Amino acid sequence: MRSRLFALSALLSLGLLTACTQPTTQTASTHRFFHIQLASNQTQPVSGRLLLFAEQANAAKAGAKDGKVTEIDANPFFPEQVAIAAQEVDRLVPGQTIDVDADMRAYPAAWSKLPAGDYLVQAVLDVHHNYNYLGRDAGDLTSGVATVHLPADDVPTLKLDAAVPAHDPWAISDSMPANLRDAAKAVHQQAQPIDFVSPALTQFWGRDIHMYGYVLLPPGYDASSSTRYPTVYFTHGFTGNKDRLLRPMAYVQAGMASGQMPPMIWVFLDESSATGTHEFADSVNNGPWGQALTTELIPYLESKYRMDADVNGRFLNGHSSGGWATLWLQTRYPKIFGGTWSTSPDPSDFHDFTGPDLYAPNANVYRKPDGTPWPLVRDKGKVIGTFEQFAKMERVLGPYGGQLASFEWVFSPRGKDGRPEQMFNRDTGDVDPQVVAYWHDHYDIAYRLQTHWPELKPDLDGKIHLYVGTADTFYLDGAAHRLKAVLDGLGAHSDIRFIPDRTHFDLYKVGNDRFGLFKDISWQMYAVARPQAESKLKVNQGR
C-alpha cells in the first residue's frame, strides 16, 4: 500500500474534527464523549482516523491469557463483541486534548446505548487510513487499555502515548515447522525483490506507481545456463501484501528443495493498494493494473530471468481475492497465460454475490426476500456474521481499504465526486441497479464467458481450474457452482472441484500438510509445460 497518504489527501471527503475544546463534563444530551490527548512525548502533529474500541470487561478478561488485556480491537468474525466509534482528526498537536463523540459514527450502535457496566476501552489513531485493510499498522498511535464504567457523568481521558512498531516481514514464527523455518531463512537470502515503476499506472495517477513482489528461483538456477523454467504468477488474498508473503514463499522453497514440487520460477505479486485489492483488473478507479502486468511487468521479468516466456509456460495461482484476480487474468488474457489454478475466488457470477442475487428485482444485500438477514460469514455451518454487520462495521472503521468498498473500487463506475459509485446503500442494503449493470457488463466473469465463448474457446478451453470448499467461510462455493454450470452449458473443458467440508482457511490442507494443495497444483502446471519431463520426475519420486 505505497503512496497511500497522497491518494487519501486528495480523496478524503469526510469532515475533519476541529481542535476546539469541548465541555469537560457529559453534555445534557445522551451522547457519550471521551477526552483524547496526544502525549507530549510525540514530536509532531498527527492526523488520521481516530478509532475507539470498547469491550465488556468481564468478556475481555475471560478471553485473555492470565486475564491480562493489552489490546481491545475489532474482529469481523465476532462482529458485535466490540463496540467501535470513529472520528477524523486533523493536525492534533503534542499535548493537545480533544473530545470525541462516541455516538456520532459508531458500531453496532451509539455508545450511549451500550448496556450499563464496566468496559475496557482503547483508542487508536489510524494515521495511514489503512486500518480496514491491515489493521493496526506501523506508526499508528495507541492509548493504554482503560477501565471505564458506562454510563458515567465524567468524561474519561485516553492518552495516545505509544506507536505501533514496524513489523519485520522476515520474522519467522515459532509455530512454523523446522523445514519451513529453514526454508524461510533461504527465501530471505535468495528471493529477488520486485520494485517496478509502471508507465501505464504512473500516467493514470500522475505520480510514480510501483508494482511490488518477489521472484523465487528454483534450486540450481543459473543465469548463465541455457535452461529455462515455467513461471507461476501467484497473488495473495484480502489483507495480504508484499510483507505478508513469507509463509507461502517458504512452502514453495521447501517443496522445490525437497523435490516434492517441480523446478519452476514463482513470481509472488502484491495486489494491495490504498483502496484494498486492485485484483489486476483494468479499472476506471484504480487504473490499468491488468495492462501494466501483462504488457509491462511480465515482459520486464522475462527479459531479466530465464523464463519460458510463452503461453504454455505462464501459469496463475491465487486464493480468495487473489483467486478472483487470477481467474480474471486467465479469462481476460487467454493468449498470455497457459492456465489458472484459482482457489476460493471471490464471486465470478454476480447472480450469487456471497449469497444475494445482485440482478434480482429490488435486490437487497442485507435482507432476503423473506426479510431474514443475508449471512456473510460462517464457521462449519454456524452463521457468525451477516452482510449488514460486516458492511456497517467497515463503514465506521473507515472509507478506504475495506473488503466491500474494495469491490467498488475495482468494479464500479466513477461517480461525480471522483469516488466509485456504491453498489448498495449502506443504511438500507438496497442495491443500485444502474451500478450493478456496469458490474455485469464489465466484470461478471460468467457473463463474459457466455457472451464471448466462441472467440475465447481456442485460447481458453481447458485452462480454468478452480478449487473451493463446500463449507467456504464466505459462501463462495455458490458462485463457483454457477460458473461451473455456465462452463458446462458451453461445452467447455474445465476442472472445478468442490472439496467436502473445507473452509476458506483450510482449503490447501492435504492430510497433515497445511499447504499440500500447492504440490498438486504445481505438478499439474508442470505437466502442461513439460509433459515428458514431468512424468519422468513423478516416476523417479514414486508419486
Side-chain angles (χ1 to χ4, degrees):
M1 289 192 182
R2 300 295 149 314
S3 302
R4 178 182 295 274
L5 287 176
F6 186 97
L8 292 174
S9 65
L11 297 172
L12 191 61
S13 60
L14 296 174
L16 298 178
L17 177 67
T18 62
C20 63
T21 302
Q22 300 288 340
T24 58
T25 59
Q26 204 69 48
T27 64
S29 72
T30 60
H31 282 218
R32 187 64 49 201
F33 285 91
F34 283 79
H35 291 315
I36 305 297
Q37 183 182 56
L38 181 62
S40 57
N41 62 359
Q42 301 301 311
T43 60
Q44 57 187 5
V46 293
S47 302
R49 192 170 186 86
L50 187 62
L51 302 171
L52 302 181
F53 301 97
E55 184 175 1
Q56 289 184 325
N58 289 340
K61 292 175 181 177
K65 185 178 180 180
D66 301 326
K68 297 179 180 178
V69 181
T70 59
E71 182 177 287
I72 303 295
D73 209 348
N75 186 338
F77 296 101
F78 300 95
E80 296 195 357
Q81 181 173 305
V82 174
I84 310 165
Q87 199 155 339
E88 287 293 322
V89 175
D90 183 37
R91 290 189 60 81
L92 184 64
V93 301
Q96 182 183 3
T97 299
I98 58 175
D99 277 17
V100 172
D101 184 347
D103 279 26
M104 186 64 67
R105 296 185 183 95
Y107 173 86
W111 283 29
S112 63
K113 300 184 184 301
L114 294 177
D118 290 333
Y119 288 82
L120 299 186
V121 182
Q122 187 174 30
V124 177
L125 183 64
D126 173 19
V127 299
H128 298 114
H129 289 91
N130 60 5
Y131 181 95
N132 245 329
Y133 190 81
L134 292 176
R136 300 181 189 191
D137 194 22
D140 288 347
L141 300 179
T142 66
S143 73
V145 175
T147 301
V148 175
H149 184 84
L150 297 176
D153 291 333
D154 61 329
V155 179
T157 299
L158 299 173
K159 183 181 292 187
L160 297 168
D161 58 4
V164 175
H167 167 70
D168 179 3
W170 301 107
I172 301 173
S173 170
D174 292 338
S175 66
M176 292 179 73
N179 68 318
L180 291 189
R181 289 200 298 270
D182 292 340
K185 295 175 183 177
V187 167
H188 190 187
Q189 296 296 321
Q190 300 170 17
Q192 309 286 306
I194 298 170
D195 184 351
F196 177 82
V197 178
S198 161
L201 290 166
T202 295
Q203 182 179 14
F204 178 89
W205 284 102
R207 65 181 188 280
D208 285 354
I209 299 296
H210 296 249
M211 304 180 77
Y212 293 107
Y214 289 97
V215 175
L216 188 62
L217 301 172
Y221 178 89
D222 183 354
S224 64
S225 168
S226 61
T227 303
R228 292 187 177 273
Y229 297 88
T231 305
V232 183
Y233 292 88
F234 170 94
T235 190
H236 54 77
F238 191 78
T239 74
N241 63 16
K242 71 181 182 66
D243 293 335
R244 297 181 175 184
L245 290 169
L246 178 58
R247 189 174 285 268
M249 287 197 294
Y251 188 89
V252 170
Q253 170 71 22
M256 290 196 295
S258 66
Q260 295 180 322
M261 293 176 67
M264 298 192 288
I265 296 173
W266 285 70
V267 179
F268 291 85
L269 295 168
D270 181 352
E271 67 161 338
S272 67
S273 72
T275 64
T277 51
H278 55 69
E279 310 205 8
F280 291 104
D282 292 338
S283 161
V284 296
N285 301 299
N286 286 332
W289 282 94
Q291 174 189 338
L293 175 66
T294 56
T295 66
E296 297 174 351
L297 181 59
I298 288 178
Y300 164 74
L301 294 174
E302 291 180 345
S303 71
K304 186 174 181 180
Y305 298 99
R306 301 201 66 79
M307 299 174 170
D308 280 357
D310 61 43
V311 64
N312 289 323
R314 300 189 197 101
F315 306 112
L316 295 159
N317 175 222
H319 186 68
S320 193
S321 293
W324 191 94
T326 51
L327 189 59
W328 172 257
L329 286 168
Q330 183 61 68
T331 55
R332 177 65 179 81
Y333 304 100
K335 294 180 183 292
I336 293 178
F337 298 105
T340 184
W341 282 256
S342 303
T343 60
S344 304
D346 288 341
S348 52
D349 185 324
F350 299 152
H351 285 96
D352 190 324
F353 194 74
T354 68
D357 179 356
L358 301 186
Y359 304 134
N362 303 313
N364 187 291
V365 294
Y366 289 172
R367 300 285 168 178
K368 298 179 181 180
D370 64 5
T372 58
W374 274 112
L376 182 64
V377 186
R378 63 181 169 180
D379 181 27
K380 299 295 186 181
K382 179 183 178 181
V383 175
I384 57 177
T386 67
F387 206 118
E388 182 174 11
Q389 289 172 326
F390 205 91
K392 290 185 175 180
M393 176 188 289
E394 178 182 297
R395 178 171 62 174
V396 172
L397 291 174
Y400 298 98
Q403 176 67 86
L404 300 176
S406 178
F407 286 133
E408 291 166 337
W409 277 90
V410 177
F411 300 150
S412 288
R414 181 183 295 173
K416 294 180 180 179
D417 61 355
R419 293 171 54 84
E421 294 185 6
Q422 291 190 335
M423 182 268 285
F424 67 99
N425 184 296
R426 292 324 196 249
D427 291 321
T428 66
D430 290 334
V431 168
D432 186 327
Q434 291 184 325
V435 174
V436 167
Y438 185 92
W439 284 33
H440 171 265
D441 293 346
H442 293 82
Y443 298 104
D444 187 311
I445 293 175
Y447 171 73
R448 174 177 171 77
L449 293 173
Q450 283 181 309
T451 54
H452 296 281
W453 186 245
E455 64 200 75
L456 292 173
K457 180 179 178 179
D459 300 303
L460 185 57
D461 201 28
K463 291 183 178 181
I464 295 175
H465 309 262
L466 189 156
Y467 298 77
V468 65
T470 61
D472 185 82
T473 311
F474 304 103
Y475 297 86
L476 295 172
D477 50 318
H481 275 291
R482 287 185 171 270
L483 178 65
K484 184 178 187 304
V486 167
L487 288 167
D488 290 348
L490 293 168
H493 296 89
S494 64
D495 180 15
I496 299 181
R497 306 185 192 185
F498 300 89
I499 303 179
D501 300 322
R502 292 295 191 201
T503 72
H504 203 70
F505 302 108
D506 63 2
L507 184 74
Y508 274 66
K509 186 176 181 181
V510 177
N512 294 323
D513 189 343
R514 182 180 175 187
F515 294 96
L517 190 57
F518 264 132
K519 293 188 178 78
D520 295 339
I521 286 174
S522 67
W523 285 108
Q524 291 179 51
M525 293 173 173
Y526 204 66
V528 176
R530 304 285 190 276
Q532 294 179 339
E534 188 272 343
S535 298
K536 186 182 296 184
L537 281 172
K538 279 194 174 185
V539 170
N540 291 340
Q541 295 166 21
R543 292 176 61 89

